[in-house]
Amino acid sequence: MNLRCLSCKRTYPYDTYRWRCDCGGVFELEGAPGFVKDEIETGDCSLWRYRAMLPVKYEGGIISLGEGFTPLVETQVYGARIHCKLEFLAPTGSFKDRGTAVLVNVLRELGVKRVVEDSSGNAGASLAAYAARSGIEAEIYVPAYASPSKLHQISIYRAKLVKVEGPRERAAQAVQEAAAQGTYYASHYYNPFTLEGLKTIAYEIWEQLGWRAPDNLVLPVGHGTLLLGAYRGFKDLRTAGLIKKSPRLFAVQSNLCAPLYEAYQRELDDVFPIEKGQTIAEGISIVQPVRGRQLLAAVRETGGTVLAVSDEETLCARDELARRGLYVEPTSAVAIAALLQLRGLIGLEEITVVPLTGSGLKSQAT
Ligand SMILES: [Zn+2]
């Protein structure tokens, strides 16, 4: 396995401490295992049922908190029949645990003892928990405005919490300075191993729908790691000859911070930073996703689109979902809000999956 730069194609050994290429490009993992149906460990009710398809070689036992294999629950919202994938039931309350679990097992294999990470909350809480589980020291840089319950969660796992005043991007700058001192940057958006963990959501959806791909996947997008992970997972299933077609990917952003939406509307191939407003969808408040080019390509290739919704629509959608017994954070509800705009695009007979990415219990009362 190697890390390959998506911009200049240069490769690096996968155990490097580099978090991006010298040219500034982002890495993808090259030589990761593909999907083999007969190698699913069907007795394991976590994402480790796909262990043979994950880039973890470590033989000393897997570090796990039982992540993955979340329920798929059917409901109707705004006249659309959808299957909700309950990612908020993950060990730390968000989908991030899929990526973190795989990353932490790779880190153990590499002998990494200390990591830094920046996050608006959920990724930091996830890394803090798995670091605690595996005896790795973690330092998490968060914007000072992050939800108090997410900050509390990070510190209760005994990670060192560094609050950074100002916009989300300041926390990213601060962590990059710390990484420059030689500490491993366990970034949930730069590090390609997290995408490897996130691809398992596609495998699970395929199994849970009776070995078939859905027609549509609608999901919130900030850095877009879940979208790219799902895209990769469905691609693996296609390569293995198990599905004919990947689902259409519908990326949803807040209209107060919508760089992907703008790039898509302007028919660009890459995403450029935008001026953002303050949105209640704090988990996707990202002015420039580092894998923007890949996101645009994945959406276009699958025949999906990019949508943007307002905070008002998001809160209404959050409440609609709660009336059906499902309590999510506002960031997750943007995907539900987008169903109104997707009415003409999604047929009534089609199968649509919406991952409910984060728990309502961690969000501020709004
Ligand atoms: Zn490069």
Side-chain angles (χ1 to χ4, degrees), residues 79-82 215-216 248 250 342-352:
R81 189 172 63 94
I82 55 168
D215 299 294
N216 311 296
R248 291 189 289 175
F250 294 101
L342 287 171
R343 269 178 175 168
L345 282 172
I346 289 182
L348 285 176
E349 72 298 340
E350 292 179 357
I351 298 178
T352 301

Side-chain angles (χ1 to χ4, degrees), residues 5 8 21 23:
C5 170
C8 74
C21 180
C23 82

Side-chain angles (χ1 to χ4, degrees), residues 6-66:
L6 280 170
S7 304
C8 74
K9 310 298 175 201
R10 184 174 163 189
T11 59
Y12 297 82
Y14 83 101
D15 58 358
T16 179
Y17 268 51
R18 282 171 203 276
W19 49 275
R20 65 176 174 190
C21 180
D22 284 346
C23 82
V26 288
F27 289 141
E28 68 174 347
L29 187 66
E30 193 179 54
F35 193 87
V36 185
K37 191 182 175 188
D38 291 343
E39 290 190 5
I40 302 174
E41 290 174 33
T42 49
D44 186 335
C45 290
S46 76
L47 61 77
W48 296 103
R49 66 198 278 108
Y50 309 113
R51 181 171 175 177
M53 300 134 218
L54 293 168
V56 175
K57 297 184 201 155
Y58 193 66
E59 311 248 318
I62 291 290
I63 292 277
S64 172
L65 292 165

Side-chain angles (χ1 to χ4, degrees), residues 124-273:
S126 180
L127 183 64
Y130 285 86
R133 181 79 168 170
S134 56
I136 292 172
E137 220 180 291
E139 200 169 280
I140 316 287
Y141 291 68
V142 291
Y145 66 74
S147 151
S149 45
K150 289 178 184 169
L151 300 181
H152 178 68
Q153 189 185 9
I154 292 169
S155 35
I156 203 97
Y157 291 129
R158 288 279 180 265
K160 188 178 166 201
L161 185 66
V162 185
K163 285 190 209 173
V164 184
E165 293 296 333
R168 168 74 180 81
E169 296 69 45
R170 290 262 171 80
Q173 275 163 13
V175 84
Q176 289 173 16
E177 283 159 23
Q181 307 300 313
T183 309
Y184 191 98
Y185 180 21
S187 173
H188 63 284
Y189 51 97
Y190 274 109
N191 197 299
F193 288 106
T194 61
L195 294 183
E196 292 296 311
L198 292 168
K199 73 184 181 184
T200 57
I201 194 171
Y203 302 166
E204 289 176 19
I205 292 170
W206 169 77
E207 275 202 73
Q208 290 170 318
L209 290 174
W211 299 283
R212 60 177 293 183
D215 299 294
N216 311 296
L217 193 65
V218 187
L219 64 187
V221 167
H223 275 299
T225 54
L226 186 59
L227 187 147
L228 290 174
Y231 170 76
R232 189 186 194 94
F234 284 113
K235 201 170 167 187
D236 287 351
L237 294 168
R238 236 170 48 214
T239 306
L242 296 165
I243 58 169
K244 287 208 175 71
K245 205 167 146 255
S246 291
R248 291 189 289 175
L249 299 174
F250 294 101
V252 190
Q253 301 210 291
S254 155
N255 65 5
L256 295 168
C257 183
L260 193 72
Y261 176 76
E262 285 194 19
Y264 187 83
Q265 291 294 319
R266 291 165 58 196
E267 297 181 7
L268 304 178
D269 289 330
D270 216 337
V271 180
F272 298 94

